[in-house]
Amino acid sequence: MSSFATSLPAHSRRTGALSGTIRVPGDKSISHRAMMFGALAAGRTTVTGLLEGEDVLRTAEAMRAMGARIEKDGTRWLIDGVGNGCLLEPEAPLDFGNAGTGSRLTMGLAGTYDMKTVFVGDASLSKRPMGRVLDPLREMGVQVLDAAPGDRMPITLHGPRRAAPITYRVPMASAQVKSAVLLAGLNAPGVTTVIEPVMTRDHTEKMLAGFGAAIEVETDGSGVRHIRLEGRGKLIGRDVAVPGDPSSAAFPIVAALIAPRSAVTIENVLMNPTRTGLIETLMEMGAAIELTNRRDAGGEETADLVVKSSRLRGVHVPPERAPFMIDEYPVLAVAAAFAEGETVMEGLEELRVKESDRLAAVARGLEINGADCTEGEASLTVRGRPDGKGIGGGTVETHLDHRIAMSFLVMGMAAEKPITVDDRSMIATSFPEFMDMMTGLGADFE
Ligand code: S3P
């Protein structure tokens, strides 16, 4: 089953100077959570700046199916939640389309309820491992009534009468797993503890605290985070202003760096330190990125980014940085293809279980477009061509992965020959305005 009936190829040609001021859509991670926590909290939650991409709209549908009232009023989303512990049994399977975050977090949110929930998704989501979320849920007493081989979707869950709070050490660097366990803990009496040896994006912790959950985070002497959540507490609706998504801003940032004589401003981008690894890396590569108008926007820092064409140099990207830029490696690889020298990216094991095997998809896309790279088990090395000579001319297989499609369309903007991506339809999952916004800056897409 695919969310997209037919694939829609797109072509990208070398462009001249890019210019303009844009706002990218709202952060996907925060948008999913705003929908979920608003749906669960008692009273009204008002969300502005929500990402209205397919992934988040599917989360909204799932929350409606479990009792929340959600409607759009102009630019605001109004959510009347059910109250913690009061989700209703959905009558039909919850279809999450392409969305790993929507499905995995909802498994935590609803899985511990004494009811049946069925989770389905598209061909990409149905290949992704769900055992990483099902394992801790099983410990809490959740029955996995049905799953495809390897704990894959479609998955049917039934929660216990009374879920058991657990202490869970997250075995991989995954904010989705951390979040699923914490959300399951909301419906378990007592304290659920998540031990996070490697810090990942902390939106769940921050936002749950904002909705009134009793949650505390302690970082021990060795940097390991201990997140404790008191279950069965009250969550209260609130206003959420979603800042621009740094993972979407990544595309116009890299485009402005590699297209000649460009100057692009991207306003209101989330600057949470667990999300700024790409900007840090690009600056190390010599990128002219100026952060202006830094401000606090409802508990998260945001800034306007002024990006100018730059001569980039290859760098070594340390594995510890991977969790803070995990979704940005495909477009970083594109930047590296136009940098002087070699860029080595390590600690990429999680890239293999994204919307596609992103490590392989990026390496094949670079190779077919004449870029020099080496794919390791969990690493990627790219040797760049600053003039873009010999680059391009290939058709990239996107494997239902929005970030692969957007990355290679950006690559075409500085390549000698045009680049084709086999499908652009799934870009709508996270950045529906991408084609138009980039064209408005000067991109030659078709
Ligand atoms: C996300 C966590 C990351 C990221 C995804 C969004 C989240 O996934 O890749 O796009 O909102 O929690 P993992 O937890 O699998 O690393």
Side-chain angles (χ1 to χ4, degrees), residues 27-30 32-33 100-102 104-105 128 132 172-179 200-201 203-204 247 275 323 326-327 350 353-355 358 402-403:
D27 186 69
K28 182 150 76 77
S29 295
I30 294 179
H32 277 300
R33 287 160 174 82
T101 307
R104 289 188 175 130
L105 268 58
R128 299 181 67 183
R132 51 178 56 202
M172 67 290 287
S174 169
Q176 292 178 357
V177 175
K178 162 177 68 179
S179 302
T200 61
R201 65 190 69 194
H203 308 303
T204 297
S247 300
R275 301 291 300 281
I326 192 67
D327 291 335
E350 281 294 308
V353 289
K354 295 295 175 188
E355 285 82 333
R358 275 192 184 149
H402 53 134
R403 298 202 201 279

Side-chain angles (χ1 to χ4, degrees), residues 7 31 39 89 96 128 139 174 177 194 198 253 257 301 318 338 351 354 370 377 414 438:
S7 49
S31 294
E89 181 160 350
F96 285 94
R128 299 181 67 183
E139 282 184 36
S174 169
V177 175
V194 172
V198 177
I253 292 174
L257 292 174
E301 197 185 335
F338 297 100
L351 280 198
K354 295 295 175 188
E377 198 50 53
M438 297 299 285

Side-chain angles (χ1 to χ4, degrees), residues 111-168:
T112 56
Y113 280 66
D114 183 10
M115 64 184 193
K116 197 162 106 175
T117 38
V118 182
F119 295 80
V120 298
D122 73 2
S124 151
L125 188 55
S126 303
K127 280 192 208 144
R128 299 181 67 183
M130 295 295 152
R132 51 178 56 202
V133 170
L134 299 185
D135 288 344
L137 290 181
R138 287 179 173 112
E139 282 184 36
M140 298 178 90
V142 178
Q143 280 180 282
V144 180
L145 298 180
D146 204 6
D151 274 344
R152 288 181 163 77
M153 285 184 176
I155 284 173
T156 305
L157 302 182
H158 199 299
R161 286 251 163 78
R162 202 180 139 97
I166 57 169
T167 293
Y168 193 71

